[in-house]
Short mmCIF file of all heavy atoms in Angstrom, two decimals:
data_model
loop_
_atom_site.label_atom_id
_atom_site.label_comp_id
_atom_site.label_asym_id
_atom_site.label_seq_id
_atom_site.Cartn_x
_atom_site.Cartn_y
_atom_site.Cartn_z
N LEU K 24 23.41 -3.75 21.05
CA LEU K 24 22.72 -3.10 19.95
C LEU K 24 21.50 -2.44 20.33
O LEU K 24 21.00 -1.47 19.70
CB LEU K 24 22.52 -4.13 18.87
CG LEU K 24 23.91 -4.56 18.20
CD1 LEU K 24 23.64 -5.79 17.23
CD2 LEU K 24 24.43 -3.40 17.29
N ARG K 141 -8.47 -12.89 18.87
CA ARG K 141 -6.97 -13.32 18.89
C ARG K 141 -6.14 -12.20 19.29
O ARG K 141 -4.96 -12.28 19.08
CB ARG K 141 -6.62 -13.69 17.46
CG ARG K 141 -7.40 -14.89 16.97
CD ARG K 141 -6.42 -15.84 16.21
NE ARG K 141 -7.22 -16.94 15.84
CZ ARG K 141 -6.45 -18.16 15.55
NH1 ARG K 141 -5.24 -18.17 15.72
NH2 ARG K 141 -7.13 -19.23 15.24
N ILE K 194 -21.65 4.09 6.18
CA ILE K 194 -21.79 5.49 5.51
C ILE K 194 -22.88 5.64 4.65
O ILE K 194 -23.47 6.71 4.52
CB ILE K 194 -20.47 5.73 4.64
CG1 ILE K 194 -20.22 4.59 3.63
CG2 ILE K 194 -19.19 5.84 5.53
CD1 ILE K 194 -19.22 4.93 2.57
N ALA K 205 -33.28 15.90 5.45
CA ALA K 205 -33.20 17.21 4.87
C ALA K 205 -34.49 17.48 4.04
O ALA K 205 -35.11 18.50 4.00
CB ALA K 205 -32.01 17.50 4.05
N ASP K 210 -39.92 20.04 3.49
CA ASP K 210 -41.17 19.65 2.98
C ASP K 210 -41.06 19.41 1.45
O ASP K 210 -41.82 19.87 0.58
CB ASP K 210 -42.14 20.74 3.10
CG ASP K 210 -42.55 20.98 4.57
OD1 ASP K 210 -42.65 19.94 5.23
OD2 ASP K 210 -42.71 22.09 4.98
N PRO K 268 -24.79 23.03 -14.43
CA PRO K 268 -25.84 22.72 -13.51
C PRO K 268 -27.24 23.14 -14.07
O PRO K 268 -28.27 23.17 -13.36
CB PRO K 268 -25.45 23.55 -12.30
CG PRO K 268 -24.79 24.76 -12.99
CD PRO K 268 -24.16 24.37 -14.18
#
Side-chain angles (χ1 to χ4, degrees):
Chain K
L24 288 170
R141 295 222 174 201
I194 55 168
D210 294 322

